Amino acid sequence: MNSTNIRHFLTLTDISSDEFRQIIKRAIKLKEMHHRGEVFEPLKNKVLAMIFEKSSTRTRVSFESGMAQFGGHAIFLSPRDTQLGRGEPIEDSARVLSSMADCLMVRTFEHHKAEKLAEYSAVPVINGLTDDSHPCQLLADMQTYFEQRGDIKGKTVTWVGDGNNMCHSYMQAAKLLEFKLNIACPKGFEPQQSFIDETRDFIEITSDIAAACSNSDLIVTDVWASMGQEEEQKVREKAFADFQVNSEMMALANNDALFMHCLPAHRGEEVSAEVIDSEQSVIWQEAENRLHAQKALLEFLLVH
């Protein structure tokens, strides 16, 4: 079993409100340093083992680049390279990997796998995405908002679409950073009850997308069918037909409202091409910020 002073990052609730803001501010600073070409290597000779059961572009490239820029090294382990959940128990994998690496990042389906990995790891474990939550993306999204508009406290954010892992992480961010979150989703696609119970005072769930977008400061959406749900695509297309973020919805939001999407996006489905390519869209800054936010997170977990 691991020692009690190891910090893991499995959901946003693993950090405090103050720590969340601290990581965001540090990410902004690290981004400025990087853009100036400064060499900063606080993780020299440190190794991050990245366990992928679910494929990814942004998660892999951002963590791998981040470790390289910090003077460390990242090892990519695909489903073919690990025994995680396939023969070797997770606890054994955790013990072995954490004896050789300084940090583990896991991107998997079942959230309990990440929890079990953390339970038996001797080093910090980072959730690179599970079916329940995607906390690293929220670090990047919130960094982007802070850069563009300042602190998000007291603002109104609208989530449009599936009550999925991204939605769950937005709910936790609302509680930590004290913003109001409107969740517009079709009936039957609401977030998990446990997340609703945890964040009840900061969220409002509705199936009225226009009401949810009205007077909003930030509108966020995601694909209708996430990885592993492709067979539900047709059913979901029907259910989500009225839940597209388009110019009409953006017009209901505040004049300086921003649009975000964790990508990859399907133009013409969850978001119109007009919105995603508009001035209000900050998706490219948001995508780049995965690098800087995760560097700030790695430094927070590994540099004492």
Side-chain angles (χ1 to χ4, degrees):
M1 291 288 191
N2 65 36
S3 59
T4 49
N5 60 355
I6 296 169
R7 296 289 299 268
H8 299 295
F9 187 67
L10 303 184
T11 71
L12 286 173
T13 51
D14 285 331
I15 55 174
S16 68
S17 302
D18 287 347
E19 287 170 338
F20 199 161
R21 284 187 168 84
Q22 179 193 324
I23 289 168
I24 290 168
K25 286 179 181 139
R26 184 60 179 157
I28 293 169
K29 180 95 170 74
L30 289 168
K31 182 179 184 177
E32 289 166 358
M33 288 162 64
H34 178 65
H35 285 184
R36 284 198 300 267
E38 286 181 34
V39 174
F40 177 59
E41 300 185 329
L43 298 186
K44 205 151 183 60
N45 300 322
K46 298 274 188 199
V47 176
L48 171 70
M50 307 186 300
I51 306 155
F52 284 90
E53 287 204 307
K54 248 183 173 180
S55 60
S56 158
T57 305
R58 276 154 287 271
T59 298
R60 178 181 178 181
V61 175
S62 54
F63 271 112
E64 212 161 303
S65 299
M67 283 303 288
Q69 290 168 16
F70 265 180
H73 183 70
I75 300 170
F76 171 72
L77 299 165
S78 76
R80 291 187 305 277
D81 303 320
T82 65
Q83 293 297 321
L84 191 62
R86 225 196 27 226
E88 182 170 50
I90 293 171
E91 44 271 51
D92 292 2
S93 293
R95 287 185 177 108
V96 172
L97 290 171
S98 67
S99 72
M100 302 179 191
D102 301 283
C103 187
L104 308 181
M105 190 285 297
V106 61
R107 186 180 174 96
T108 186
F109 294 91
E110 303 89 346
H111 191 75
H112 74 83
K113 283 188 179 176
E115 291 175 333
K116 175 116 342 208
L117 198 65
E119 191 186 337
Y120 288 89
S121 171
V123 300
V125 173
I126 296 170
N127 172 6
L129 177 140
T130 64
D131 286 349
D132 282 6
S133 70
H134 196 2
C136 287
Q137 183 67 52
L138 260 288
L139 295 181
D141 284 20
M142 291 301 102
Q143 178 191 342
T144 310
Y145 191 89
F146 275 58
E147 283 174 337
Q148 303 283 334
R149 300 284 184 264
D151 203 303
I152 201 164
K153 184 176 180 175
K155 300 290 188 186
T156 299
V157 178
T158 302
W159 172 265
V160 178
D162 195 9
N164 62 10
N165 48 10
M166 274 296 293
C167 180
H168 293 155
S169 288
Y170 258 94
M171 291 161 79
Q172 291 183 327
K175 185 178 178 180
L176 280 167
L177 299 179
E178 297 173 73
F179 58 82
K180 180 179 186 238
L181 180 66
N182 295 328
I183 299 167
C185 55
K187 297 246 184 312
F189 292 91
E190 294 87 359
Q192 285 176 26
Q193 191 61 46
S194 60
F195 287 91
I196 295 173
D197 295 341
E198 183 193 333
T199 61
R200 191 177 294 285
D201 296 343
F202 297 89
I203 64 165
E204 197 172 314
I205 300 172
T206 177
S207 52
D208 184 341
I209 179 175
C213 291
S214 295
N215 306 313
S216 184
D217 298 293
L218 168 64
I219 296 181
V220 195
T221 190
D222 194 5
V223 292
W224 290 340
S226 297
M227 232 180 296
Q229 298 175 330
E230 287 78 9
E231 70 286 352
E232 298 174 32
Q233 180 75 27
K234 289 282 168 274
V235 177
R236 283 172 171 264
E237 274 173 24
K238 211 171 186 170
F240 287 91
D242 297 328
F243 289 80
Q244 183 189 77
V245 178
N246 50 34
S247 301
E248 201 183 330
M249 292 304 127
M250 290 303 291
L252 297 171
N254 292 335
N255 290 338
D256 65 346
L258 298 174
F259 171 77
M260 291 188 198
H261 190 307
C262 64
L263 302 177
H266 297 151
R267 286 169 171 77
E269 282 187 22
E270 74 274 5
V271 58
S272 67
E274 202 178 356
V275 167
I276 206 163
D277 299 321
S278 74
E279 288 294 304
Q280 288 175 287
S281 170
V282 287
I283 58 165
W284 308 121
Q285 296 94 317
E286 178 191 4
E288 182 194 339
N289 283 344
R290 284 291 299 277
L291 168 66
H292 310 295
Q294 286 162 194
K295 281 168 73 175
L297 174 67
L298 287 162
E299 185 185 46
F300 174 78
L301 294 174
L302 295 174
V303 181
H304 305 293

PDB file of all heavy atoms in Angstrom, residues 1-8 118-119 121-123:
ATOM      1  N   MET A   1       0.840  -1.197   0.000  1.00  0.00           N
ATOM      2  CA  MET A   1       0.000   0.000   0.000  1.00  0.00           C
ATOM      3  C   MET A   1       0.880   1.254   0.000  1.00  0.00           C
ATOM      4  O   MET A   1       1.959   1.244   0.563  1.00  0.00           O
ATOM      5  CB  MET A   1      -0.874   0.032   1.258  1.00  0.00           C
ATOM      6  CG  MET A   1      -1.933  -1.047   1.267  1.00  0.00           C
ATOM      7  SD  MET A   1      -3.224  -0.684   0.082  1.00  0.00           S
ATOM      8  CE  MET A   1      -4.411  -1.908   0.564  1.00  0.00           C
ATOM      9  N   ASN A   2       0.376   2.313  -0.596  1.00  0.00           N
ATOM     10  CA  ASN A   2       1.204   3.519  -0.672  1.00  0.00           C
ATOM     11  C   ASN A   2       1.186   4.304   0.642  1.00  0.00           C
ATOM     12  O   ASN A   2       0.333   4.116   1.491  1.00  0.00           O
ATOM     13  CB  ASN A   2       0.763   4.400  -1.847  1.00  0.00           C
ATOM     14  CG  ASN A   2      -0.637   4.948  -1.669  1.00  0.00           C
ATOM     15  OD1 ASN A   2      -1.042   5.267  -0.561  1.00  0.00           O
ATOM     16  ND2 ASN A   2      -1.360   5.069  -2.773  1.00  0.00           N
ATOM     17  N   SER A   3       2.152   5.200   0.758  1.00  0.00           N
ATOM     18  CA  SER A   3       2.202   6.010   1.975  1.00  0.00           C
ATOM     19  C   SER A   3       1.207   7.155   1.855  1.00  0.00           C
ATOM     20  O   SER A   3       0.822   7.548   0.758  1.00  0.00           O
ATOM     21  CB  SER A   3       3.616   6.556   2.178  1.00  0.00           C
ATOM     22  OG  SER A   3       3.989   7.325   1.069  1.00  0.00           O
ATOM     23  N   THR A   4       0.795   7.674   2.976  1.00  0.00           N
ATOM     24  CA  THR A   4      -0.305   8.640   2.986  1.00  0.00           C
ATOM     25  C   THR A   4       0.037   9.993   2.385  1.00  0.00           C
ATOM     26  O   THR A   4      -0.847  10.740   2.031  1.00  0.00           O
ATOM     27  CB  THR A   4      -0.789   8.851   4.437  1.00  0.00           C
ATOM     28  OG1 THR A   4       0.354   9.100   5.242  1.00  0.00           O
ATOM     29  CG2 THR A   4      -1.535   7.651   4.949  1.00  0.00           C
ATOM     30  N   ASN A   5       1.330  10.330   2.280  1.00  0.00           N
ATOM     31  CA  ASN A   5       1.648  11.682   1.795  1.00  0.00           C
ATOM     32  C   ASN A   5       1.746  11.796   0.283  1.00  0.00           C
ATOM     33  O   ASN A   5       2.065  12.846  -0.242  1.00  0.00           O
ATOM     34  CB  ASN A   5       2.933  12.201   2.460  1.00  0.00           C
ATOM     35  CG  ASN A   5       4.121  11.315   2.156  1.00  0.00           C
ATOM     36  OD1 ASN A   5       3.948  10.268   1.525  1.00  0.00           O
ATOM     37  ND2 ASN A   5       5.312  11.708   2.586  1.00  0.00           N
ATOM     38  N   ILE A   6       1.473  10.726  -0.451  1.00  0.00           N
ATOM     39  CA  ILE A   6       1.488  10.805  -1.919  1.00  0.00           C
ATOM     40  C   ILE A   6       0.180  11.447  -2.380  1.00  0.00           C
ATOM     41  O   ILE A   6      -0.893  11.069  -1.942  1.00  0.00           O
ATOM     42  CB  ILE A   6       1.614   9.408  -2.556  1.00  0.00           C
ATOM     43  CG1 ILE A   6       2.946   8.771  -2.188  1.00  0.00           C
ATOM     44  CG2 ILE A   6       1.482   9.490  -4.077  1.00  0.00           C
ATOM     45  CD1 ILE A   6       3.017   7.322  -2.551  1.00  0.00           C
ATOM     46  N   ARG A   7       0.305  12.440  -3.259  1.00  0.00           N
ATOM     47  CA  ARG A   7      -0.882  13.078  -3.820  1.00  0.00           C
ATOM     48  C   ARG A   7      -1.200  12.439  -5.167  1.00  0.00           C
ATOM     49  O   ARG A   7      -0.339  12.329  -6.027  1.00  0.00           O
ATOM     50  CB  ARG A   7      -0.630  14.579  -4.025  1.00  0.00           C
ATOM     51  CG  ARG A   7      -0.393  15.380  -2.756  1.00  0.00           C
ATOM     52  CD  ARG A   7      -1.632  15.551  -1.912  1.00  0.00           C
ATOM     53  NE  ARG A   7      -2.725  16.265  -2.559  1.00  0.00           N
ATOM     54  CZ  ARG A   7      -2.920  17.587  -2.466  1.00  0.00           C
ATOM     55  NH1 ARG A   7      -2.079  18.338  -1.766  1.00  0.00           N
ATOM     56  NH2 ARG A   7      -3.957  18.164  -3.060  1.00  0.00           N
ATOM     57  N   HIS A   8      -2.452  12.051  -5.342  1.00  0.00           N
ATOM     58  CA  HIS A   8      -2.915  11.552  -6.640  1.00  0.00           C
ATOM     59  C   HIS A   8      -3.844  12.602  -7.248  1.00  0.00           C
ATOM     60  O   HIS A   8      -4.316  13.501  -6.559  1.00  0.00           O
ATOM     61  CB  HIS A   8      -3.668  10.231  -6.476  1.00  0.00           C
ATOM     62  CG  HIS A   8      -2.834   9.130  -5.896  1.00  0.00           C
ATOM     63  ND1 HIS A   8      -1.744   8.597  -6.550  1.00  0.00           N
ATOM     64  CD2 HIS A   8      -2.923   8.479  -4.709  1.00  0.00           C
ATOM     65  CE1 HIS A   8      -1.198   7.654  -5.800  1.00  0.00           C
ATOM     66  NE2 HIS A   8      -1.880   7.574  -4.675  1.00  0.00           N
ATOM     67  N   ALA A 118      -3.943   3.696  -8.006  1.00  0.00           N
ATOM     68  CA  ALA A 118      -3.481   4.672  -7.020  1.00  0.00           C
ATOM     69  C   ALA A 118      -3.316   4.041  -5.639  1.00  0.00           C
ATOM     70  O   ALA A 118      -2.372   4.340  -4.905  1.00  0.00           O
ATOM     71  CB  ALA A 118      -4.460   5.840  -6.944  1.00  0.00           C
ATOM     72  N   GLU A 119      -4.225   3.149  -5.314  1.00  0.00           N
ATOM     73  CA  GLU A 119      -4.202   2.505  -3.997  1.00  0.00           C
ATOM     74  C   GLU A 119      -2.904   1.728  -3.756  1.00  0.00           C
ATOM     75  O   GLU A 119      -2.367   1.717  -2.655  1.00  0.00           O
ATOM     76  CB  GLU A 119      -5.412   1.562  -3.875  1.00  0.00           C
ATOM     77  CG  GLU A 119      -5.648   1.032  -2.484  1.00  0.00           C
ATOM     78  CD  GLU A 119      -6.769  -0.010  -2.447  1.00  0.00           C
ATOM     79  OE1 GLU A 119      -7.638  -0.009  -3.354  1.00  0.00           O
ATOM     80  OE2 GLU A 119      -6.756  -0.828  -1.519  1.00  0.00           O
ATOM     81  N   SER A 121      -0.030   2.142  -5.728  1.00  0.00           N
ATOM     82  CA  SER A 121       1.148   2.788  -6.314  1.00  0.00           C
ATOM     83  C   SER A 121       1.962   3.513  -5.245  1.00  0.00           C
ATOM     84  O   SER A 121       1.412   4.132  -4.342  1.00  0.00           O
ATOM     85  CB  SER A 121       0.703   3.796  -7.376  1.00  0.00           C
ATOM     86  OG  SER A 121       1.800   4.574  -7.794  1.00  0.00           O
ATOM     87  N   ALA A 122       3.270   3.453  -5.385  1.00  0.00           N
ATOM     88  CA  ALA A 122       4.178   4.158  -4.466  1.00  0.00           C
ATOM     89  C   ALA A 122       4.481   5.570  -4.962  1.00  0.00           C
ATOM     90  O   ALA A 122       5.243   6.299  -4.341  1.00  0.00           O
ATOM     91  CB  ALA A 122       5.473   3.364  -4.330  1.00  0.00           C
ATOM     92  N   VAL A 123       3.900   5.935  -6.108  1.00  0.00           N
ATOM     93  CA  VAL A 123       4.115   7.266  -6.695  1.00  0.00           C
ATOM     94  C   VAL A 123       2.764   7.864  -7.106  1.00  0.00           C
ATOM     95  O   VAL A 123       1.768   7.142  -7.196  1.00  0.00           O
ATOM     96  CB  VAL A 123       5.060   7.198  -7.928  1.00  0.00           C
ATOM     97  CG1 VAL A 123       6.428   6.634  -7.540  1.00  0.00           C
ATOM     98  CG2 VAL A 123       4.429   6.365  -9.051  1.00  0.00           C
TER      99      VAL A 123
END
